[in-house]
Amino acid sequence: MKESSLKELLGKYKEKMDKVYYVALAYNLLSHVLAVTPVILFIELLVRKLANGTMTEGQIRLLIDSMINLRLFIVIPAVFTVLVEMDKQRDQLISISFIALGWFYSFHMREWNDNYIFNLALLIVASYKKDFHKILRYSIWIVSIVTGLCVVVTALNILPSHYDLIRNGRVRHAFGMTGPTGFAGHVCFVLLMIAFVKDGCLKWYDYLCVVILSILNILLVDGRVALLCAGLLLAGSLVKYIMQVKGWEISERISKPVKYVFLSSYALIGGMFMLLAGLYKPEFLERFSGNRILESFAGRLEPPHRLMQELSFSFLGNYYTKYFQAEHSFVQNGEYNFIDSSYARMYLIYGLVGFVLTMLICTLMQWRLMKENMIYRMYILSICAVFYLVQRGIFDPDYHVFPLIITANLLGRGDWSESKGKMTDKSGKKAL
């Protein structure tokens, strides 16, 4: 059968495959956000109880892993996209190479059931020409509902909050998630996604939500980088609102360098963190003693610095035994080996290839926005770059669904701000 005939035959199933894509996307989002709650642990305990000794620990673990790995069902629409929807051979070759690299990492690190890059590759490829605003709405609703339910069941004592922490004599509440920073991060990214999809055309209640949640963060959660990002979101949105009300326009002389700063934001921030981690000295902590924010940042430089000294350079990464234990154990033994920064994680776990791939993907996200002159949305993604300076999750879709921008349709029918008045530049493209 000729290639054109095969495409025509499979093309008849495009609408059905789109439905498969959104089902698989929803499962990916749901499984990822549930993974940072005790739900998976409760499911495992329930399976043990129902098995009543008829299943071994290995069989139970295999069953749970199989449930989680159902998210790889996204491979079906991804393959369909490559075979049917991509017209350019270059796009097909790049997509196949990206998926192959992700699969290689899954095989290379199979002992730890690591499908992180493979899952990311499939999601990006499968999102080819999909409406990104619809993708965002899926993410906003799923993450909001799960996060909200965690708060409710915790408040009603249906789900005990085992992961509250005490710092400086204050309780940091996790609200049913596996850590206070996880709760603060998900709330922060819901706000960022809403601001993105509305293109900064926020209503008074949007601003009120940011302020209220920031206050709750200060009083109950203490997610510092999430609080900083919420503040940056508030400041940037207010600047855009004032400019629209006043009718001010940004000249090309100013907007061009700003866009290039945003374009390189991930490389600048990630590169800065890795440089500081490499140059880290114990005196850093002493120098910033008394300043809680800088002291906390300096403390997050120490583990990646130490691990980079202990591990040999690697193109594909070293999955350190101590690091693995710190990642998957509730008990810390010896030195603190948990890597908070997404940039350091991608280098230490996936090597130079993983770090370069991270910089490339994040820069491509900004490049897509820059081509459409979406400066405000580039600003939102730059805020995300700040978040991942000291937090994990740069390619977790429940946090960061924005990598799908690379292949998705940015100007789809789902743009919530389409009917709003927008500033335009001389070419007619949206400005800000």
Side-chain angles (χ1 to χ4, degrees), residues 232 261-277 297 301 341 343-344 355 359 366 379 381-390 394:
L232 292 172
V261 169
F262 291 159
L263 176 67
S264 57
S265 57
Y266 286 86
L268 290 173
I269 293 173
M272 180 197 72
F273 183 90
M274 296 304 292
L275 178 63
L276 290 175
F297 178 71
L301 291 171
S341 169
Y343 305 112
F355 181 77
M359 296 300 103
Q366 295 284 43
Y379 174 71
L381 264 61
S382 296
I383 294 176
C384 299
V386 173
F387 180 87
Y388 292 118
L389 182 66
V390 291
I394 196 166

Side-chain angles (χ1 to χ4, degrees), residues 162-189:
H162 293 298
Y163 305 99
D164 294 343
L165 299 176
I166 298 177
R167 173 180 286 173
N168 300 321
R170 290 177 51 200
V171 177
R172 301 172 66 207
H173 295 275
F175 292 111
M177 292 197 169
T178 53
T181 55
F183 174 80
H186 278 93
V187 171
C188 175
F189 270 85

Side-chain angles (χ1 to χ4, degrees), residues 68-298:
I68 295 172
N69 286 336
L70 279 175
R71 63 177 63 148
L72 294 178
F73 191 66
I74 195 75
V75 69
I76 296 175
V79 171
F80 182 87
T81 295
V82 173
L83 293 178
V84 179
E85 298 189 53
M86 290 185 178
D87 298 323
K88 296 180 181 179
Q89 191 174 43
R90 183 198 65 178
D91 292 346
Q92 291 176 321
L93 289 175
I94 292 174
S95 299
I96 291 172
S97 299
F98 188 20
I99 291 173
L101 176 64
W103 176 85
F104 171 79
Y105 266 116
S106 299
F107 175 78
H108 177 64
M109 308 180 75
R110 191 60 191 168
E111 184 177 350
W112 294 279
N113 190 30
D114 193 321
N115 293 312
Y116 198 56
I117 295 180
F118 187 38
N119 187 230
L120 169 71
L122 294 173
L123 278 168
I124 291 177
V125 172
S127 301
Y128 185 75
K129 292 186 177 180
K130 301 297 188 297
D131 183 348
F132 185 66
H133 295 85
K134 186 175 181 179
I135 293 171
L136 272 178
R137 288 200 297 276
Y138 268 66
S139 184
I140 290 168
W141 282 109
I142 290 173
V143 175
S144 297
I145 289 171
V146 173
T147 305
L149 283 175
C150 282
V151 174
V152 171
V153 297
T154 302
L156 296 176
N157 289 321
I158 298 174
L159 181 70
S161 189
H162 293 298
Y163 305 99
D164 294 343
L165 299 176
I166 298 177
R167 173 180 286 173
N168 300 321
R170 290 177 51 200
V171 177
R172 301 172 66 207
H173 295 275
F175 292 111
M177 292 197 169
T178 53
T181 55
F183 174 80
H186 278 93
V187 171
C188 175
F189 270 85
V190 167
L191 296 173
L192 289 171
M193 286 187 288
I194 290 173
F196 185 99
V197 82
K198 290 188 174 183
D199 200 18
C201 297
L202 305 182
K203 297 291 187 180
W204 65 268
Y205 47 79
D206 295 314
Y207 291 108
L208 183 62
C209 283
V210 175
V211 173
I212 291 174
L213 290 168
S214 296
I215 293 172
L216 292 176
N217 198 337
I218 294 171
L219 298 177
L220 301 176
V221 181
D222 191 25
R224 299 173 192 181
V225 70
L227 179 62
L228 171 62
C229 291
L232 292 172
L233 167 63
L234 185 63
S237 300
L238 285 172
V239 168
K240 179 174 182 180
Y241 173 75
I242 293 170
M243 291 185 67
Q244 287 180 323
V245 170
K246 298 291 185 180
W248 296 340
E249 294 187 18
I250 302 177
S251 66
E252 182 67 16
R253 187 178 65 179
I254 297 176
S255 66
K256 188 173 182 179
V258 168
K259 285 188 287 188
Y260 278 99
V261 169
F262 291 159
L263 176 67
S264 57
S265 57
Y266 286 86
L268 290 173
I269 293 173
M272 180 197 72
F273 183 90
M274 296 304 292
L275 178 63
L276 290 175
L279 298 175
Y280 174 85
K281 293 181 180 180
E283 299 85 71
F284 282 12
L285 277 175
E286 298 175 7
R287 184 176 303 172
F288 298 126
S289 179
N291 188 314
R292 291 174 60 188
I293 295 177
L294 293 179
E295 186 179 13
S296 177
F297 178 71

